[in-house]
Amino acid sequence: MKRNAFTLIELLAVIVILALIALIATPIILNIIDKVQGKSRMESANGVLHAAKYFYTESLLEESVVYPSNGLEFICDGTVCEAMIGMTVEEEGISLLTEEPSRYTLKISGKAPSSGSIIVTEEGVITPNNLAIDSHICNYNQEKNVFTSC
């Protein structure tokens, strides 16, 4: 009589082969995921840089932005990168706003940094400061004007 079933040894052999394949493939797949996430963070950081360049170009056309002497600092909080300036006066050692502050927001494509800032000067110099995306600080190459890693 002929049986059409697998023996226990055959099933164990298949399970061992699948386990070996999983042991080999898992680190490779996790490494690929880490690389892709790093590139995604870097593209998001470069997106913030492009948004700052766009803001500066737009401000030249509109001529409505008043830059402080040390530049306009956009502070990022995970949802937006926003700058706020207003006219202040010193009274008895306390700075008081004399009018409603002006708010400027960067139009970011991609994920907004969870912390850090980016400074835009009246001359168009853009300087990122400790931008962090997903708890990774992004390294900026000043000579090439791009982020190199996150």
Side-chain angles (χ1 to χ4, degrees), residues 7-9 21-23 44-45 51 57 59 62-63 79 88 90-92 98 107 110 124 126 144:
T7 66
L8 184 59
I9 300 293
I21 291 171
L23 281 171
S44 291
T57 305
S59 73
E62 292 179 5
E63 297 180 1
T79 55
T88 59
E90 282 278 325
E91 283 188 17
E92 298 176 14
T98 59
K107 297 173 185 169
I126 297 168
K144 294 182 180 178

Side-chain angles (χ1 to χ4, degrees), residues 53-90:
K53 290 176 185 177
Y54 179 78
F55 174 83
Y56 175 72
T57 305
E58 197 174 58
S59 73
L60 290 176
L61 295 173
E62 292 179 5
E63 297 180 1
S64 61
V65 177
V66 177
Y67 288 91
S69 60
N70 57 345
L72 195 55
E73 183 174 21
F74 290 88
I75 298 173
C76 304
D77 64 3
T79 55
V80 296
C81 291
E82 186 175 63
M84 184 171 57
I85 60 169
M87 300 299 290
T88 59
V89 292
E90 282 278 325

